[in-house]
Amino acid sequence: MQHKQREILVTSALPYANGPIHIGHMVEYIQTDIWVRFQKMRGHLCFYVCADDAHGTPIMLRAQEENITPETLIKKMKEEHQIDFDDFAINFDNYHSTHSPENQSLANIIFEKLDNGGHITKRTIKQLYDSEKKMFLPDRFIRGECPKCLATDQYGDNCEICGATYSPTDLKNPISAISGEKPIEKESEHYFFKLGDFEEILHEWTRAGHLQTAVTNKLDEWFKAGLQEWDISRDAPYFGFEIPDAPNKYFYVWLDAPIGYLASFQNFCEQESLDFDYWCKPNSSTEMYHFIGKDIIYFHALFWPAMLDGSEFRTPSAIFAHGFLTVDGQKMSKSRGTFITARTYLDHLNPEYLRYYFAAKLGAGIDDIDLNLDDFLVRVNSDLIGKVINIASRCAGFINKNFDGKLADAIHGPAIQEEIKNANQKIAEAYEAREYSKAMREIMILADKANQYIDHHKPWVVAKQKNNSNELQGICTTGINLFRLLMLYLKPVLPIVAEKTERFLNIKPLQWQDAQTTLLNHKINKFETLMTRVEKEKIDAMVENSKGNFIKT
């Protein structure tokens, strides 16, 4: 059945241009990429855009430290990020930067519309100032004693010991983390976004099915506490966009970062001659989805829809939040070697092992997922090599050797073929709902059944019998077709293996509706290894190498 073609814009949160991508980040990009690839296989018009988040004090300071311009730093980081994403088979339609003309233009438009609508206010506030560095200090660059429990060496906004949150000016014996000097209090005029103006709209929007239930419940706490005005400006020196008609005042990085989604898409629209306004106007018939970590829900589910609504842009169709990654049951740790960068992983292991393992763990909720390295080895080897690829390697040899690569003109096992074909809808529904672990379980149950079929019919025994060549060709043709269906279902997760499979089977790129067809009377190519087993030595080497990784943040 041909579905109506949907028009879908998808984004992932923007990686910060201040350090490398690590495997914790990859949970999100892999989750999003699987969903996008599935939509494209279904025949929908689906665009996946992202960008480097390139503004803010940490980037300015890091560039100073390295004695390069911020522009040089963000260019270098963007190139590194893009190589890592490419090697993990993350298929963006456009990858841009928040430090772009499109983003500056859209940030100005949105700010001016909010200002004209009466949603921006100005007032003077007191902040901590580093006289030596001649700059106001962001919360994370102030250290001192917690005003509640007196724990030392705490950040300017929250205590990691007792969990208290407070204002930086409440911190006892504060020092600047940049110069080590004692900061002074200084006044400055700041711009604020009046989030409370949108309370009614947001109350309705957050309950209209755009968010996961757990997220809506979390937002209730913020509604109860009352929506606070949001400080959207920062003083010079700052690496970012200057606010129009406000010399030495800059947009806070969190204002222009989500606008970066639209800016990247606008840049793509210009390249592809697409109508940006059609996709982004209020009440557009198109769909827009943001995949994010649960730690940035506040910005995406409150500030972002309010900013969009107040500046006459469409609001998101849904925001999909996910949990964090733990490794062997604990937070990623540099000393244990479990703070693994994407590059260190790729230096040792196949990216599709991780794509599959994350898919096997990911549901539609916001629970954390765990990368258990022992389980990772066993599950990838057992499921992908032992169950799926094994089917092709068991059957292809007989077809190549005995029948010159030609498949039979009829299926030997129509019942099993039909059963795996009919699972198409159930697996599609699981992908659509981001219930990837459910989809993977279903696919592996089918792989077990396909293997049982082959074990039952024993082509290796049949091959030794005289006058049984038709039966042998039929059994192996069935096996190859079962493998093709399983690979079709796994293609959003394993795009690289799927491409090798398409070459081996001598077929066009698999689309979702191809589950309805069967490969008969068709010549396949010689079987070559599609994926090798995970080796424990390589996992150990990756962990060992990661102990040396020091990530600047």
Side-chain angles (χ1 to χ4, degrees):
M1 185 177 83
Q2 193 54 45
H3 304 270
K4 179 182 178 293
Q5 192 188 45
R6 293 159 61 188
E7 297 171 305
I8 310 170
L9 173 61
V10 182
T11 74
S12 296
L14 313 182
Y16 200 45
N18 193 35
I21 305 293
H22 57 69
I23 59 166
H25 295 130
M26 289 312 304
V27 172
E28 180 168 311
Y29 302 104
I30 288 171
Q31 183 189 34
T32 318
D33 185 72
I34 290 170
W35 200 75
V36 168
R37 286 178 183 276
F38 166 72
Q39 300 299 349
K40 290 181 175 184
M41 280 181 77
R42 295 281 270 179
H44 298 308
L45 186 64
C46 184
F47 300 123
Y48 180 17
V49 303
C50 196
D52 259 19
D53 180 3
H55 288 156
T57 308
I59 283 168
M60 178 181 80
L61 294 173
R62 168 93 182 267
Q64 282 172 12
E65 213 177 280
E66 295 191 14
N67 210 15
I68 54 176
T69 63
E71 287 82 359
T72 304
L73 173 68
I74 63 174
K75 182 174 183 288
K76 183 179 81 169
M77 289 314 304
K78 181 171 181 272
E79 284 166 6
E80 280 181 29
H81 288 173
Q82 284 187 269
I83 292 166
D84 288 347
F85 287 135
D86 283 349
D87 289 352
F88 262 105
I90 307 296
N91 192 21
F92 298 116
D93 289 286
N94 198 46
Y95 195 84
H96 206 37
S97 167
T98 58
H99 193 63
S100 69
E102 295 90 350
N103 204 31
Q104 183 157 26
S105 161
L106 282 167
N108 289 348
I109 288 166
I110 287 172
F111 175 78
E112 280 161 9
K113 284 192 171 177
L114 293 174
D115 195 21
N116 293 340
H119 305 303
I120 304 289
T121 185
K122 281 190 286 191
R123 67 170 181 273
T124 299
I125 60 168
K126 275 186 180 173
Q127 283 180 294
L128 292 178
Y129 183 81
D130 185 326
S131 308
E132 189 184 307
K133 287 285 182 182
K134 297 190 170 39
M135 64 181 285
F136 284 97
L137 292 168
D139 300 349
R140 60 181 297 186
F141 289 104
I142 305 160
R143 310 290 289 203
E145 293 168 21
C146 168
K148 303 282 190 331
C149 75
L150 303 181
T152 55
D153 199 29
Q154 296 306 307
Y155 284 114
D157 56 352
N158 74 294
C159 174
E160 290 184 325
I161 305 300
C162 73
T165 56
Y166 40 76
S167 164
T169 48
D170 297 334
L171 205 63
K172 294 192 182 304
N173 301 319
I175 60 158
S176 163
I178 304 164
S179 67
E181 292 295 304
K182 183 177 168 58
I184 59 166
E185 280 192 18
K186 194 173 174 182
E187 290 190 335
S188 173
E189 189 176 59
H190 273 237
Y191 288 78
F192 290 82
F193 174 46
K194 291 152 77 175
L195 187 63
D197 290 359
F198 297 89
E199 183 155 358
E200 204 176 308
I201 293 157
L202 288 171
H203 211 266
E204 199 178 299
W205 187 85
T206 56
R207 283 165 175 69
H210 303 293
L211 305 169
Q212 294 129 303
T213 311
V215 171
T216 301
N217 295 342
K218 178 72 189 159
L219 293 177
D220 277 349
E221 296 170 23
W222 284 314
F223 281 114
K224 280 187 191 116
L227 300 181
Q228 304 299 308
E229 290 185 347
W230 179 38
D231 186 347
I232 56 165
S233 63
R234 292 296 182 267
D235 293 281
Y238 191 79
F239 183 59
F241 294 138
E242 207 164 21
I243 297 175
D245 305 320
N248 292 325
K249 300 285 177 187
Y250 289 80
F251 287 127
Y252 174 41
V253 59
W254 262 110
L255 179 108
D256 72 65
I259 296 170
Y261 299 140
L262 299 186
S264 180
F265 185 57
Q266 187 175 46
N267 175 262
F268 178 70
C269 287
E270 282 158 12
Q271 292 171 49
E272 301 292 320
S273 304
L274 292 168
D275 183 349
F276 176 76
D277 293 337
Y278 165 73
W279 283 77
C280 297
K281 66 186 180 201
N283 306 315
S284 169
S285 62
T286 64
E287 302 168 51
M288 180 166 81
Y289 299 100
H290 303 305
F291 284 76
I292 60 160
K294 62 183 176 184
D295 54 329
I296 52 175
I297 283 167
Y298 196 89
F299 293 103
H300 282 82
L302 293 175
F303 296 137
W304 180 229
M307 281 163 60
L308 291 167
D309 185 81
S311 56
E312 295 159 14
F313 282 93
R314 56 104 20 95
T315 51
S317 310
I319 292 167
F320 301 137
H322 59 82
F324 302 132
L325 179 70
T326 55
V327 180
D328 288 340
Q330 291 177 291
K331 260 179 90 169
M332 294 200 299
S333 146
K334 290 171 188 150
S335 61
R336 282 195 301 274
T338 56
F339 196 106
I340 301 162
T341 65
R343 185 47 50 195
T344 304
Y345 175 94
L346 290 162
D347 286 344
H348 296 90
L349 295 166
N350 180 327
E352 292 197 307
Y353 298 159
L354 197 66
R355 287 180 67 103
Y356 176 72
Y357 191 78
F358 282 172
K361 290 280 186 112
L362 277 163
I366 58 169
D367 300 332
D368 294 348
I369 69 167
D370 185 51
L371 166 57
N372 178 300
L373 293 170
D374 292 336
D375 177 52
F376 168 79
L377 179 138
V378 172
R379 189 182 296 213
V380 172
N381 286 345
S382 153
D383 288 2
L384 296 185
I385 315 296
K387 292 182 183 179
V388 178
I389 290 169
N390 190 32
I391 300 170
S393 62
R394 291 170 94 183
C395 297
F398 293 116
I399 295 288
N400 289 132
K401 187 178 158 195
N402 301 50
F403 307 101
D404 194 27
K406 190 90 177 279
L407 297 176
D409 54 12
I411 284 285
H412 174 268
I416 178 73
Q417 170 80 9
E418 207 58 21
E419 184 181 355
I420 296 184
K421 186 179 91 175
N422 291 341
N424 175 291
Q425 190 55 31
K426 192 177 179 184
I427 294 166
E429 283 163 11
Y431 272 125
E432 180 65 48
R434 306 178 323 288
E435 293 286 3
Y436 303 159
S437 58
K438 195 172 165 186
M440 296 310 104
R441 271 197 308 278
E442 190 62 32
I443 293 165
M444 290 310 144
I445 289 167
L446 298 173
D448 281 336
K449 290 182 175 178
N451 279 296
Q452 284 159 15
Y453 164 83
I454 292 163
D455 289 341
H456 180 71
H457 291 287
K458 300 182 173 52
W460 54 92
V461 173
V462 176
K464 291 174 185 162
Q465 297 165 351
K466 285 184 181 166
N467 307 321
N468 269 357
S469 70
N470 282 356
E471 190 184 356
L472 177 65
Q473 192 180 18
I475 294 165
C476 293
T477 296
T478 303
I480 293 290
N481 272 283
L482 300 181
F483 168 72
R484 171 184 169 271
L485 284 170
L486 295 169
M487 274 316 305
L488 185 154
Y489 297 153
L490 284 167
K491 185 175 174 177
V493 179
L494 306 176
I496 302 166
V497 174
E499 204 177 297
K500 289 180 184 173
T501 297
E502 288 154 359
R503 284 201 296 272
F504 153 58
L505 294 177
N506 191 21
I507 54 172
K508 289 195 181 102
L510 287 161
Q511 300 302 317
W512 202 260
Q513 74 270 16
D514 292 340
Q516 304 312 316
T517 60
T518 312
L519 276 193
L520 297 171
N521 209 8
H522 171 89
K523 199 167 162 84
I524 61 170
N525 292 317
K526 191 170 177 292
F527 179 79
E528 282 168 19
T529 308
L530 298 173
M531 186 183 251
T532 55
R533 297 174 71 77
V534 186
E535 293 167 35
K536 178 138 189 2
E537 299 71 40
K538 291 192 174 170
I539 295 177
D540 293 343
M542 172 184 75
V543 169
E544 199 48 45
N545 272 31
S546 297
K547 288 178 182 168
N549 278 339
F550 181 72
I551 313 300
K552 288 183 181 171
T553 54

